[in-house]
C-alpha cells in the first residue's frame, strides 16, 4: 500500500493537494490525528492500495517522540511518503487576511505571525522526513495542483521529472531547489543598452551568449555533471529534481542557461521541464 501524508503550514494548500490526490484515486482522510495513523492503515490495508492523509498542527501529539513512534509503528511493508507544502510568511499572512480565517493556533490568543512561526517549529519533524517539498508562494491553484500531480505520478511511473528553473538572486533563493548554480560570474547583457530590456529567450541575447566562451564552458560543465548524476537519481527512485540557475535579476543569463540545459536533456529518458520564476517581472509592455 502507498501511504502519502500531506502536511505543511495552514494556508499553504494542503486541502488542494488532498483534492488532487483524491482525483488520482487515493482514499483520502482529512485531519487525522497522527497517533491514529497505524490504526487507520491496519484497518484499510486490505481494502485500498493508495491512501492519503492530511495532517496539520491540530493533529500533532504534544511529544515529538509520539509522532516518530506513530510513523515507525506502521506495517513494515508500508513506507510513508510525506508531501510538505509551505509558503513564505508574507504570503500566508496575506492569505489569512484575505480569507479572514483564524489560524488553528490563534485560539491561544497568539498573534498570527507568532502562530505561523510556532506552527513551522511543530511541523519540523515531518518537514525533515519530507519526500517532496512544494513552495506554493507564487503558484496559482492550477499550478499547485499540477505540481502535486507531477510529483506523485512521476514517482508511480518511476520516471524522473527534471525541472530547470531560472531565478534572480535579488529576489531570493527559491526554497524548493535541489541544486542551485550561480551564473552571476558570467558576462551580463544588462550592460549592453540594446539588450537590457530583452530576456534570455530573445535571439539577440542568445547570439550574445553564443559568442561568450565562459558561458559555453559553464553550460558544458553543467551538462557533463548532470549526464553523470541524473541516471543515479533515476535509479534511486527519485521522482522530482529541481535545478536552479540564478543570475542577478533572473532575466538574461539564468533564462538562457536553463533553456539550453532543458534542450540538451530533452532527448534523455527523463521528463524535462523549464520554468522562469521571474518571467512576470520582465514581461514586455
Amino acid at each position: 500500500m502507498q501511504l502519502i501524508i500531506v502536511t505543511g503550514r495552514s494556508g499553504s494548500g494542503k486541502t488542494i493537494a488532498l483534492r488532487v490526490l483524491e482525483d488520482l484515486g487515493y482514499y483520502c482522510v482529512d485531519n487525522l490525528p497522527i497517533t491514529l495513523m497505524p490504526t487507520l492503515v491496519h484497518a484499510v490495508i486490505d481494502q485500498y492500495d493508495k491512501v492519503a492523509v492530511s495532517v496539520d498542527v491540530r493533529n500533532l501529539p504534544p511529544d515529538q517522540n509520539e509522532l516518530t513512534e506513530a510513523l515507525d509503528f506502521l506495517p513494515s511493508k508500508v513506507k510513508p511518503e510525506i508531501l510538505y507544502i509551505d509558503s513564505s510568511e508574507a504570503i500566508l499572512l496575506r492569505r489569512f487576511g484575505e480569507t479572514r480565517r483564524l489560524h488553528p493556533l490563534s485560539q491561544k490568543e497568539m498573534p498570527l505571525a507568532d502562530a505561523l512561526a510556532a506552527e513551522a517549529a511543530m511541523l519540523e519533524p515531518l518537514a525533515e522526513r519530507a519526500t517532496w517539498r512544494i513552495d506554493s508562494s507564487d503558484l496559482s491553484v492550477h499550478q499547485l495542483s499540477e505540481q502535486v500531480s507531477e510529483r506523485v505520478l512521476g514517482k508511480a511511473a518511476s520516471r524522473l521529472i527534471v525541472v530547470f528553473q531560472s531565478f534572480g538572486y535579488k529576489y531570493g533563493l527559491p526554497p524548493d531547489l535541489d541544486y542551485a548554480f550561480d551564473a552571476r560570474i558570467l558576462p551580463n547583457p544588462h550592460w549592453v543598452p540594446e539588450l537590457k530590456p530583452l530576456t534570455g529567450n530573445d535571439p539577440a541575447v542568445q547570439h550574445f551568449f553564443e559568442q561568450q566562451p565562459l558561458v559555453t564552458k559553464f553550460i558544458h560543465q553543467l551538462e557533463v555533471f548532470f549526464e553523470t548524476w541524473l541516471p543515479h537519481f533515476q535509479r534511486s527512485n527519485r521522482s522530482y529534481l529541481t535545478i536552479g540557475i540564478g543570475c542577478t535579476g533572473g532575466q538574461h543569463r539564468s533564462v538562457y542557461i536553463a533553456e539550453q540545459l532543458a534542450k540538451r536533456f530533452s532527448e534523455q529518458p527523463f521528463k524535462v521541464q523549464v520554468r522562469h520564476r521571474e518571467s512576470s517581472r520582465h514581461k514586455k509592455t
Side-chain angles (χ1 to χ4, degrees), residues 210-272:
E210 288 166 0
Q211 312 308 309
Q212 306 295 328
L214 274 180
V215 175
T216 302
K217 185 175 182 179
F218 189 91
I219 294 172
H220 173 69
Q221 291 188 340
L222 286 184
E223 183 180 5
V224 171
F225 178 82
F226 285 114
E227 279 180 347
T228 301
W229 294 108
L230 285 181
H232 291 275
F233 281 105
Q234 174 95 326
R235 287 195 290 270
S236 68
N237 206 28
R238 183 71 175 263
S239 64
Y240 209 89
L241 191 74
T242 305
I243 300 164
I245 311 294
C247 61
T248 304
Q251 179 178 350
H252 297 109
R253 294 166 289 185
S254 60
V255 169
Y256 174 77
I257 293 167
E259 289 285 351
Q260 289 298 308
L261 289 171
K263 186 183 301 182
R264 297 181 190 205
F265 283 95
S266 61
E267 301 301 321
Q268 298 290 329
F270 317 114
K271 183 176 180 182
V272 175

Side-chain angles (χ1 to χ4, degrees), residues 44-88:
V44 304
I45 192 169
D46 295 326
Q47 187 176 0
Y48 300 101
D49 59 358
K50 298 191 297 183
V51 175
V53 177
S54 172
V55 172
D56 68 21
V57 71
R58 292 169 294 180
N59 313 132
L60 297 179
D63 186 349
Q64 290 188 0
N65 290 328
E66 291 182 51
L67 187 154
T68 302
E69 289 171 3
L71 295 179
D72 292 341
F73 193 62
L74 294 170
S76 58
K77 61 182 177 180
V78 176
K79 304 297 181 186
E81 298 168 306
I82 297 176
L83 171 60
Y84 189 87
I85 306 176
D86 202 6
S87 290
S88 68

Side-chain angles (χ1 to χ4, degrees), residues 119-149:
E119 183 179 28
M122 294 171 70
L123 291 171
E124 186 58 29
L126 288 173
E128 289 177 349
R129 290 180 174 226
T131 310
W132 307 283
R133 296 183 73 115
I134 297 178
D135 177 28
S136 67
S137 301
D138 300 315
L139 301 180
S140 66
V141 171
H142 174 73
Q143 290 169 329
L144 175 58
S145 300
E146 190 176 68
Q147 288 206 21
V148 172
S149 255

Side-chain angles (χ1 to χ4, degrees), residues 89-230:
E89 185 166 316
I91 294 294
L92 292 177
L93 287 170
R94 190 188 75 192
R95 288 174 182 170
F96 273 101
E98 289 172 348
T99 61
R100 298 185 181 180
R101 292 179 55 218
L102 280 177
H103 188 277
L105 298 180
S106 294
Q107 296 176 356
K108 300 180 180 180
E109 300 183 354
M110 187 183 297
L112 180 55
D114 293 345
L116 290 171
E119 183 179 28
M122 294 171 70
L123 291 171
E124 186 58 29
L126 288 173
E128 289 177 349
R129 290 180 174 226
T131 310
W132 307 283
R133 296 183 73 115
I134 297 178
D135 177 28
S136 67
S137 301
D138 300 315
L139 301 180
S140 66
V141 171
H142 174 73
Q143 290 169 329
L144 175 58
S145 300
E146 190 176 68
Q147 288 206 21
V148 172
S149 255
E150 286 175 352
R151 281 159 168 76
V152 173
L153 292 177
K155 182 83 171 182
S158 298
R159 187 182 181 192
L160 179 64
I161 298 172
V162 180
V163 180
F164 293 102
Q165 177 173 300
S166 69
F167 67 93
Y169 276 98
K170 68 189 289 185
Y171 304 113
L173 190 72
D176 56 349
L177 297 182
D178 296 294
Y179 286 96
F181 294 91
D182 191 343
R184 289 177 291 183
I185 56 171
L186 301 177
N188 190 357
H190 175 84
W191 304 112
V192 181
E194 61 270 25
L195 300 181
K196 181 178 179 179
L198 305 179
T199 76
N201 277 322
D202 288 297
V205 175
Q206 293 169 357
H207 178 73
F208 171 87
F209 284 131
E210 288 166 0
Q211 312 308 309
Q212 306 295 328
L214 274 180
V215 175
T216 302
K217 185 175 182 179
F218 189 91
I219 294 172
H220 173 69
Q221 291 188 340
L222 286 184
E223 183 180 5
V224 171
F225 178 82
F226 285 114
E227 279 180 347
T228 301
W229 294 108
L230 285 181

